[in-house]
Every structure is written in C-alpha cells, then in structure tokens.
Amino acid sequence: MKILKYYEIWKINLLNSLMYFSDFIFYSVFIGVIIFIFVNLWRNLYSTTSVIEGFTLVMMIWYLVLTESMVVNIGGTTLIKELNQEVKSGDLIYVLNKPYNYVAYHYVKSLCQWMLGFTTSFIIAGLVALFFVGALEFSLITLPFILVILLFSFTIDFTISAILGISAFWMEDTTSFKYVYEKIIFILGGMLIPLEIFPEWLRIISAKLPFSYIAYHPAKLFVMFSFKSFLWIMLAQLSYVIFFGIILVILYKLAVRKVNLHGG
Amino acid sequence: MNQVIHIKNLRKEFKTKHKEPGFLGSLKSIIHPKTKTLTAVDNISFNVKEGEIIAFIGPNGAGKSTTIKILTGILHPTSGNAKVLGLVPWKDRIKLAYKIGSVFGQKPQLWYHLPAIDTFNLFSKIYELDKHEYKERLDYLVKTFEIKEFLNTPVRKLSLGQRMRCEIAASLLHKPKIIFLDEPTIGLDIVAKQKMRELIKKLNKKEKTTIFLTSHDTQDIEHLCKRIIIVNHGRIIYDGSVNKLSKKFLKNKVISVKFETPVKKFNIEGVKIIKSNKFNIDFELDTRKKSMQQLIDALIKKYKIADINISDPPIEETISLIYRKK
C-alpha cells in the first residue's frame, strides 16, 4: 500500500510531464546538436589515430551520448532549483501536509522526470551518433546491468542535489550551489571528456569522486562493458548512495524544524 | 462534545535578516549579519470542539496562517503545546495528515495541467483508501459539490469557483475530521461564494466535520460561524460568539424607521443619519450618549411611526474597529 502511493506519485508526474513533452524534445534536439558538434571535433582528433586512451571514435561519441543525456536530465539541473523555489514560495505546505515522506516524494518525482528526459535525449542523441559514426558494438544482455548502474547514477545525483536543495531551509538562495555543482559534473564527472584524457593525478582523484559515478563510470561501462567493472562500479555507487542518503535524512530532519513559512 | 483542538500558550517566533539601507548596509550585513525576531504567534490558548465551525480571523500578518501551519504540523512552534485530535501536529505530522484536510485558497493543490479526477485518484492512493470506499466517497463528493461536468477538464481551464469546489472536494476524500480552510472564498464572485458557503455548511451538518476557517470576508463568518476568534499581532483579542461581538465592541445600534405620514425634516438629537427619504429613515444611535428608551420616546412624540427595526451594525464595522484599535 505504502509503495503504491509512490508509484501513483510517479504516474501523475509522468502524466504531467507529458504535458510538457515538447520541452523534453527541445532539450533533446539541443543535445543532438551538441553530439553533432562533438562528432566533427573528435573526427579531427581521430584523423591521425584510431584509438585515444582506449576509446575508438565510435566509443567516444556513444560515451558522450550517454554522459550528455544523463547530465542534462539529472536533479543537479532541476531539483536544487525546485526545492529552493518550494521553500521560498511556500508551496512546501502542500508537500508537507500529505501522508508521505517528503524525500521519497521528491525522489519519485525526479525519477519520473529523469526517466522521461533521459530516454528522449538518448534516443535523439543516439540517432545523431548512429547516423554520423555508426552503431556501437553492444550486447543486449548487458542492458539490464547498465540500467541498474544508471539508476544508481541518478540516485547519487538525487541525494547530492537534495542535500544542496534542502540547504534552502537555511540559505537565502541556493542558485550558486546549482551552478558550482553543474560545473563540477561537467568537468570532474567526465561529461565533456573521459577522465583518461586528464593528467594522471587528476584522473585518479576524479575517478574516486562521486561525480564520476554519475556520468563517467556508467558511460565507460556502456561502451566497454565488463562484469568486473559493473560490480565495482555498483559497489562504489551503493556506498555513495548510503553515505549521501544518511546525510540527506539527517539534514531533512533538521530542516523540517527550520521551516520558516511566514505569512499566508 | 469532544475537544478536537487544544492549544495552550502557543508561541512562534521567526528570525528575519535585518539589513540597513544602501550599499554600506549590504556590506555590513555580510560581515555582521543582524537578525530580528518577529513574534507571529504570541502565547495563544484556545480549544475547539468537535463539529464546530470556527472563524479564525485577523488582519494580514496577524498570525492566522502561522497558527494553521502549526496545527497541520508544517511548522514547529517556538514554545507551547498543541494537540489536534489527540496528536502533537509537528511530531505526528504524517499520522495527523490522514485525519485532517486543508485548503489554502491561494495555493492550489490540484495538478494544474491535469483534470481534477487525476488528483483525486492520486489522493485516494496517498490516503490509502480502499477502492470501493473511494468510489463511494467520490460519487458522494461529485454529487454534493456538483463537479461532475468538469471533473475531466484540465484544472487550468476551470473557473476559480469550479476550481475551489474541486480543491475542497479533493481535501475531503479521506473523510477528515477537521478541515482547515484558509480563505476558501478568496477571489470568488458572489454566486460562487454563496455556493461555497452552502457546501461548507452542508458538510458540517452531514458529516460533523469541524471547520477551522480563516477569511477576510465577513459574510463568510456571518453565514457560517457561531464562534469567532480574532487575532492581531499574534494575540487573541476576542474569542466568543459572533452575535455578541458587536455588542461587546460597538455601542452603536442601527435603527430603521418607517413613517405613516411623510416627514419633511427629521429632527432627533444625537443620531447619525445613514440614508433617508420621506417615509423611511436609517440612522445610527450611540447608546452611550442617548438611551434607546429616550430615543423611542422622542420618536413617538414627534412622528407617526408605522414600523421600527433595531439592529446591530454590520460585523465588518466591528471587526474593522477592532483591527484599528489594537
């Protein structure tokens, strides 16, 4: 019964998101354009060699299809802003006065938006990649494993974004957090280039940080799948989800006491 | 009757940032941020019985919404105790949410782009209603609130009156024992307001739902409530019967007199004429200056009276006087 209510929240968010489906398409077309630019850029870099840091051109472009589709649709870009807005506008009252868990409510809401956004972006960006560089060598058997990793990627991002968003209970504005977090994922998360291209010391550090488990590791697993990597990545992701999840729960409990909705 | 709301010495303070004007003030506020404590609710105590319709009113910033937010578990008070249906709202927020409903007139809870029925279906799952029980309840509310014809229309396409009926129906799906209505008639036209009042009354009568109402519309109060609590600056300044309110605060009476013969000049001392014509006159009497007996004696002596009607001034006037005084 309890789980069912979160499924219903997911469902109504899906219905609602479909009303804005043109927005998802617009974002996705934009990602398609970015992939087209990357294709041209990387083609030049691959003109003298067929492999860069273990990635062929096809792998590199499909890597970027996944990281771009992932990062553009995660909570870092929407959830932080949404929680900030909810606290500021007082809309929080309609989330807090219902018999469900506030964090779980936002989790399923964000999950729905991410699923829809990611799928649309991946299809459009994938079609661009398919047309310009061809298909990736990919076994369908690995798909469920990739999906599990992607779900964990989303969850790590959700916990970090929710922590930053919930800080709106103390801070006047969390827009700066959103800006910094986005840029960290762009660079240290491996959204723009795989971490192998970084200097060695930076690659080692970045590969251990949670941000790379949102974009880099899942995307690399997608283009170079191995069960060993899958297990290691999942284990690391799980650890980060637990770590940030605990912080989030503690912070939320403190935040609820800080609710400062004054006036009608 | 059981007490469903019990509040004792409830207090809520908010800390707000205080900044001096200008650029220097901005710099100072970064180095030495100053906060100002604002007392939104100041040691209030009251009880509400089951089935009561209570008006909780006050000017803007008086602490009404803050009190409702504490009673619904959204805000933690700074001090004091409160129990709603035997639960401490801020400690048992989720448990309490199953038993109460709330409508904040200015903050819609229906999904704006979707038909109201989608929100109803969602709420049935959120409140864990049994399928059969939900269907029965939905049929009843759809009939009572007359919302059948636009149940499948996206909320954004509904008129404000239609939307508010759906809002209240949505908050009643789980048969709450208490419903908090924060300005439910705001922005509605006269007909929609009347309809809304009828529905609230019906709900209270049929289901014995306790209604905790805030409104700036005195008509809402006069039509719906027997008891009124007036707050200002976070404090209760009146808690009692709506009928006795004017008697307590206003010493004026409104008198309407109908004459048998036309009156050329109305000449009674100590009264303030509101409107007049040859056969009718409405005026106000300050009973501290002239007693009713004196007035009637004077009227009978000077004029041939066909009818006379004595009433209290409108509640609006009383409330406005209270707000200005305190």
Side-chain angles (χ1 to χ4, degrees), chain A residues 1-2 4-5 8-9 12-13 15-16 19-20 89-91 93-102 105 109 172 252 256-257 259-264, chain B residues 12 14-15 17 38 40 65-66 69 74-76 93-94 97-98 102-104 107-109 111 113-114 118-119 121-123 125-129 156 167:
Chain A
M1 233 11 191
K2 299 248 185 242
L4 201 63
K5 70 171 82 171
E8 287 297 325
I9 294 168
I12 202 161
N13 272 287
L15 292 175
N16 196 53
M19 307 297 291
Y20 302 99
S89 68
D91 288 347
I93 54 175
Y94 265 129
V95 190
L96 282 180
N97 74 348
K98 297 277 180 301
Y100 47 57
N101 180 288
Y102 178 79
Y105 168 83
K109 188 177 177 189
E172 294 270 310
Y252 169 68
V256 164
R257 300 186 68 86
V259 177
N260 202 352
L261 297 171
H262 182 222
Chain B
K12 177 69 186 174
F14 289 106
K15 283 205 169 119
K17 278 192 180 165
L38 183 93
S65 294
T66 304
K69 282 168 197 156
I74 295 164
L75 289 179
H76 281 59
R93 181 177 62 79
I94 292 184
Y98 286 101
S102 45
V103 174
F104 296 86
K107 297 213 182 294
Q109 63 179 329
W111 287 69
H113 293 288
L114 302 175
D118 283 339
T119 307
N121 291 339
L122 172 72
F123 283 10
K125 295 290 187 306
I126 284 176
Y127 288 104
E128 298 170 30
L129 304 180
R156 67 172 188 278
E167 288 276 353

Side-chain angles (χ1 to χ4, degrees), chain A residues 82-92 95 102 106:
Chain A
E82 198 180 315
L83 293 181
N84 190 28
Q85 197 60 28
E86 208 167 80
V87 174
K88 272 185 172 175
S89 68
D91 288 347
L92 192 66
V95 190
Y102 178 79
H106 274 291

Side-chain angles (χ1 to χ4, degrees), chain A residues 15-36:
Chain A
L15 292 175
N16 196 53
S17 298
L18 288 173
M19 307 297 291
Y20 302 99
F21 196 63
S22 54
D23 280 11
F24 287 100
I25 299 281
F26 179 76
Y27 266 116
S28 303
V29 168
F30 177 67
I31 295 167
V33 172
I34 290 176
I35 294 299
F36 173 72

